């Protein structure tokens, strides 16, 4: 936590940010385009196809997530750096940043009614963990390791990477996918100090054998009718 907090920067405090949208952009039609090797994201006006701003971010941004309010864009680079971009500013730009690990892939915000954008979450490849943050400042609040047992052979895995994370609209939960252990974690964020997590084992379905060419040829789509054609 100490190392993570050392990287945390609030560039523009909440009280100094606009109270309402201070530009004329159609925020329902703004694109965040990854400029991979440059370590940048270009915000593009979808109505006019003009570049709004080119913003320095983490390296090779893997995903850009829009907040529930459509005010903020959260980007996460493969280097584990998260940048928070405020679309309400006259010229949208970064308002906070943090580095949650050495390598990462996904970031998301809470979407359940009453918790909209209250929390942000990001998962790391290394260290194998996910971090829950304040949605408006990126202040780290909780770090949870994903080390554990695999769902198939029940062996301990020391480096399970966090892959995709999505937020539920039906429950106060983040859905966290962990690669090497094959686990799907339903992380309930109602009480950050005492997280409740439901673990689902993601077993691969039994592969069905493909029908032979002869069988496919002999079967018609009309129910109850078949012929050897």
């Amino acid at each position: 936590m100490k190392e993570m907090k050392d990287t945390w920067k609030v560039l523009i405090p909440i009280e100094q940010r606009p109270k309402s949208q201070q530009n004329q952009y159609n925020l329902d039609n703004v694109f965040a385009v990854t400029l991979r090797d440059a370590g940048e994201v270009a915000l593009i006006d979808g109505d006019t196809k003009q570049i709004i701003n080119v913003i320095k971010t983490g390296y090779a941004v893997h995903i850009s997530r829009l907040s529930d309010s459509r005010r903020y864009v959260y980007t996460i680079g493969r280097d584990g750096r998260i940048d928070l971009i405020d679309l309400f500013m006259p010229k949208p730009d970064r308002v906070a940043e943090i580095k949650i690990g050495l390598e990462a892939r996904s970031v998301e915000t809470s979407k359940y009614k009453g918790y909209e954008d209250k929390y942000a979450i990001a998962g790391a490849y290394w260290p194998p963990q996910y971090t829950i943050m304040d949605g408006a400042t990126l202040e780290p609040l909780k770090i949870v390791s994903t080390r554990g047992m695999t769902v198939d052979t029940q062996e301990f895995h020391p480096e399970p990477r966090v892959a995709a994370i999505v937020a539920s609209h039906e429950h106060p939960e983040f859905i966290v996918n962990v690669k090497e252990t094959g686990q799907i974690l339903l992380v309930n964020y109602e009480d950050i100090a005492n997280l409740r997590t439901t673990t689902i084992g993601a077993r691969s379905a039994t592969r069905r054998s493909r029908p032979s060419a002869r069988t496919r040829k002999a079967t018609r789509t009309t129910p109850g009718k078949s012929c050897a054609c």
Side-chain angles (χ1 to χ4, degrees), residues 11-217:
L11 307 175
I12 302 180
I14 296 175
E15 59 273 14
Q16 296 179 19
R17 299 176 195 172
K19 304 300 181 185
S20 60
Q21 185 177 347
Q22 300 299 302
N23 56 61
Q24 300 301 313
Y25 300 118
N26 174 12
L27 299 187
D28 288 331
N29 196 22
V30 172
F31 292 83
V33 180
T34 298
L35 307 179
R36 186 182 185 278
D37 292 341
E40 297 172 333
V41 162
L43 297 180
I44 298 177
D45 185 336
D47 292 343
T48 65
K49 309 303 185 292
Q50 298 297 308
I51 294 175
I52 297 171
N53 198 6
V54 176
I55 300 170
K56 284 290 184 183
T57 60
Y59 174 71
V61 164
H62 192 73
I63 193 169
S64 298
R65 289 277 199 198
L66 188 64
S67 67
D68 186 80
S69 66
R70 300 181 182 275
R71 171 173 185 162
Y72 294 110
V73 174
Y74 298 76
T75 68
I76 187 163
R78 290 174 182 257
D79 57 0
R81 174 175 152 181
I82 301 173
D83 288 279
L84 179 59
I85 300 169
D86 188 354
L87 298 179
F88 276 13
M89 297 171 66
K91 184 177 183 180
D93 210 334
R94 299 187 311 129
V95 294
E97 71 173 67
I98 192 172
K99 192 172 173 65
I100 56 93
L102 298 180
E103 189 175 358
R105 292 294 186 275
S106 192
V107 65
E108 177 64 297
T109 63
S110 50
K111 300 291 196 298
Y112 186 65
K113 186 176 181 180
Y115 290 88
E116 295 94 334
D117 304 328
K118 181 176 182 179
Y119 299 116
I121 184 173
Y125 270 22
W126 184 261
Q129 62 191 30
Y130 63 84
T131 302
I132 297 177
M133 300 156 281
D134 181 278
T137 66
L138 300 183
E139 178 185 4
L141 304 174
K142 187 87 169 182
I143 301 173
V144 181
S145 172
T146 55
R147 290 185 170 99
M149 310 303 287
T150 60
V151 299
D152 47 7
T153 58
Q154 292 292 287
E155 296 178 274
F156 178 77
H157 200 293
E159 301 177 10
R161 299 169 291 172
V162 178
I165 301 176
V166 294
S168 171
H169 291 261
E170 306 299 325
H171 306 281
E173 293 176 339
F174 291 120
I175 303 167
V176 180
N177 293 274
V178 185
K179 283 191 170 184
E180 283 72 19
T181 55
Q183 294 179 353
I184 300 168
L185 309 178
L186 307 182
V187 181
N188 186 297
Y189 49 72
E190 290 178 295
D191 183 358
I192 293 295
N194 302 284
L195 284 179
R196 289 187 290 113
T197 303
T198 300
T199 302
I200 301 173
R203 295 180 181 275
S204 59
T206 303
R207 180 174 294 180
R208 296 180 180 178
S209 57
R210 295 185 63 192
S212 65
R214 180 181 178 83
T215 302
R216 293 198 301 273
K217 184 178 180 182

